[in-house]
Amino acid sequence: MDLQNEEMTRRLHEMCEGSVQAFDAFYACYSPFVMQVAGRLAGERMEAEDVCHEVFLEVLRRGRDYDPSRGSIKAWLAVIARSRSLDRLRRQARLQYPGDEALERDAAEAEASGENEALSRLEREALRTAIYALPEPQKKAILGSYFALQTQREMAEAWSVPIGTVKSWVRYGLNNLRKQLEKQGWADSWEGGNEHERAHRQ
C-alpha cells in the first residue's frame, strides 16, 4: 500500500469513528476524483454534485468495509461513484432490461442476509457497474442470459434478430465484462461467464 493510501485509510477509520477533521481531510483529498468519475456519467455538474454527496454519505456508513488488500481507496470510491451515478441515470430514464429486476433482487436478498458482508457487497457493486457500462446490445444479452435466465433462442425471437447476433452480443459482452472487472481489481469475480456452459440453453 502506498503512503497516501495508508494515510487515507487511517483517516477513513478515524472519520467512521466520528472525527470531523479526518472527514474533512478525506473529502478534500478525494472529492475532486469522485466528481470527475460522476461527471463523466452524470453529464451535469449538479447531478455529479448530488452523486458526490451520496458517495461520501455511503463512505461514512461503509468505511469499515474497505479492504486495502482488494485495491486502492480510489478504486473503491470509483466503484461506488459509478454505481450511484448509474442508479440515478436508471431512475431518471426508467430504464428496464430483461433480468434487471432479478439482478436488483439478488443484490437486495444478499444484502438482507448479510451474505459475505463487505466483500460480497463490493463485488456486487463492481459487477452491477460493469454490466451497466456495457454497450446496449451486450448489456441486455448478459442480463437476459444470466439474470432473466432466457435462452439465446428466446432472446433472438423476442428481439427479432438472428441467433448468431445474440451469440455475438453474449460473447463480446462477457469479454468486455471481464476487462472492466479486471480494471476494478475483480478479475475472478465473474465466474458465470462461460458461453459454453450455457450452450445447452439455446
Side-chain angles (χ1 to χ4, degrees):
M1 184 177 4
D2 63 52
L3 291 178
Q4 183 190 42
N5 205 73
E6 186 174 356
E7 168 66 16
M8 287 299 116
T9 299
R10 183 175 64 81
R11 296 281 189 180
L12 176 61
H13 293 158
E14 289 174 356
M15 75 188 218
C16 288
E17 295 297 326
S19 171
V20 175
Q21 183 179 8
F23 177 84
D24 288 343
F26 191 90
Y27 185 88
C29 181
Y30 292 111
S31 59
F33 171 73
V34 173
M35 280 290 293
Q36 182 181 31
V37 173
R40 284 200 296 264
L41 285 169
E44 298 180 2
R45 181 171 179 82
M46 289 185 64
E47 288 291 329
E49 288 175 351
D50 287 344
V51 169
C52 189
H53 179 68
E54 290 179 11
V55 167
F56 281 95
L57 284 177
E58 187 165 350
V59 167
L60 275 173
R61 292 194 302 268
R62 295 176 45 193
R64 295 179 184 84
D65 294 348
Y66 169 66
D67 181 359
S69 69
R70 300 295 303 191
S72 69
I73 289 177
K74 271 193 169 183
W76 180 62
L77 290 173
V79 170
I80 300 174
R82 289 173 187 146
S83 181
R84 296 291 77 77
S85 297
L86 291 167
D87 283 345
R88 291 180 70 87
L89 289 173
R90 290 175 56 221
R91 286 197 300 268
Q92 291 167 4
R94 291 179 171 81
L95 298 178
Q96 290 293 326
Y97 305 94
D100 181 63
E101 291 182 1
L103 177 59
E104 294 285 352
R105 185 172 59 251
D106 287 349
E109 288 174 354
E111 184 80 20
S113 67
E115 177 186 337
N116 294 328
E117 289 300 330
L119 181 59
S120 71
R121 285 201 298 272
L122 195 53
E123 286 177 333
R124 290 194 302 276
E125 291 283 2
L127 179 59
R128 289 178 63 225
T129 299
I131 288 174
Y132 281 99
L134 292 173
E136 193 76 12
Q138 296 173 20
K139 181 193 316 177
K140 67 180 184 180
I142 293 298
L143 284 169
S145 180
Y146 291 95
F147 295 95
L149 302 181
Q150 295 175 303
T151 67
Q152 293 176 349
R153 191 169 302 281
E154 287 172 343
M155 289 187 285
E157 291 174 356
W159 302 331
S160 300
V161 297
I163 191 170
T165 299
V166 174
K167 287 177 180 290
S168 295
W169 288 347
V170 171
R171 182 171 63 253
Y172 289 122
L174 290 174
N175 287 336
N176 286 333
L177 194 58
R178 286 194 190 95
K179 289 176 183 176
Q180 292 197 44
L181 289 171
E182 285 171 0
K183 288 179 182 178
Q184 296 180 33
W186 298 98
D188 299 324
S189 295
W190 180 243
E191 297 177 354
N194 187 326
E195 185 178 2
H196 297 294
E197 291 176 0
R198 298 182 182 265
H200 67 282
R201 292 188 14 229
Q202 296 176 13

